[in-house]
Amino acid sequence: MAEVRLQHPPLDAISQIRFAPIAGSGLLLVSSWDAHVRLYDAASNRLMGMKKHNKAILDCTFVQDTSRFLSVGLDARLVACDFQTGQEFVIGQHDAAIRCVEFHQPTMQVFTGSWDRTLRAWDPRQAQRPVQHVSLGTKIFCMDTCNDKVVVGGADRNIHIYDIRNMDKPVDRRECSLKHQLRSIKVSPDQTSYAAGSVEGRVAFEYIDAEENIRSRYAFKCHRTKDGAEEVIHPVNALAFNPKHGTFATGGSDGVVCIWDGYAKKRLWKTDPFGTSISALSFSADGSQMAIGVSYTFDDGEKYPCPTNELIIRAVTDKEMEPKVQKSG
């Protein structure tokens, strides 16, 4: 299928890419270790806006409309910005770098997960004071939300699941079936399951319901290459579910994107390798486009010269993304 490389990609490692959560929109938000958040129009291949911050940005997301965004990173601040006016507003702060941010549309809250071992919820209208403050006792490495849950992956390799309506204690805290550091986690569009990726070249497909999880969870190897007789294991840096079909993409340090049907336990297809690691992935709201962040993730230390960063938009068809079998009951 057709691939378009966006002009003016970030100058340092790409930490996050997100399509606007609006059907038909081609706007793409991109954060980077060069301390900038950029807004692109993927349809016209234009850089629409750019906002500089104090330190490296680790995550970003749109707020309600596409003119405003949230960013977090090494300066430990949760910042709201407006591309049109250039205004910046600090909503809150953690005690160490903030790794993850999610805007929760149903409650209009913002959730942040930090290396200070806390999960916090914020009302953007009431700055500086979190409405929820949860101590997890472990650094937060990845996070996602669904209608009424926050799902967090920690340095302790546990999955912490909280009900947004009552975050006094977790609904569940379970050991992930992955045995090494978690890098990515995403909740499925039907909100019954999630996929998590780790540095050991594995993905876990698990269920939010505790009993269903015991019955049905599984993990599988992926993003592995051969170097002669030796198998080389690559981290799974990025995950994204297709919102229309419920299949999902994984991106690894092997530079490959793989598409999976989680319920059928099948790989549907994979791309040819790109020039370096896949650091971030996102599907458009209608599921017809996949954005791929190609960016060296420093798994092998410094490289000179550093591989070139690329932002690639790939059109995907229903036939490519449809599951092998429909999920029963």
Side-chain angles (χ1 to χ4, degrees), residues 269-289:
W269 53 274
K270 66 177 183 176
T271 66
D272 292 332
F274 292 97
T276 187
S277 307
I278 308 301
S279 64
L281 291 168
S282 181
F283 282 101
S284 58
D286 63 5
S288 68
Q289 295 183 88

Side-chain angles (χ1 to χ4, degrees), residues 9-81:
L11 304 177
D12 204 342
I14 298 164
S15 56
Q16 181 63 283
I17 55 177
R18 300 213 197 213
F19 268 112
I22 300 169
S25 175
L27 293 180
L28 187 73
L29 195 66
V30 180
S31 60
S32 167
W33 280 75
D34 67 7
H36 285 81
V37 177
R38 293 168 171 85
L39 180 68
Y40 297 87
D41 184 344
S44 61
N45 197 346
R46 285 191 301 152
L47 177 62
M48 304 286 291
M50 188 163 63
K51 179 68 176 174
K52 189 177 189 311
H53 292 67
N54 297 329
K55 293 184 179 180
I57 305 300
L58 303 182
D59 200 359
C60 63
T61 188
F62 286 104
V63 194
Q64 288 168 275
D65 58 60
T66 54
S67 68
R68 292 183 297 151
F69 70 90
L70 302 164
S71 64
V72 297
L74 294 187
D75 68 358
R77 301 188 308 160
L78 168 61
V79 177
C81 295

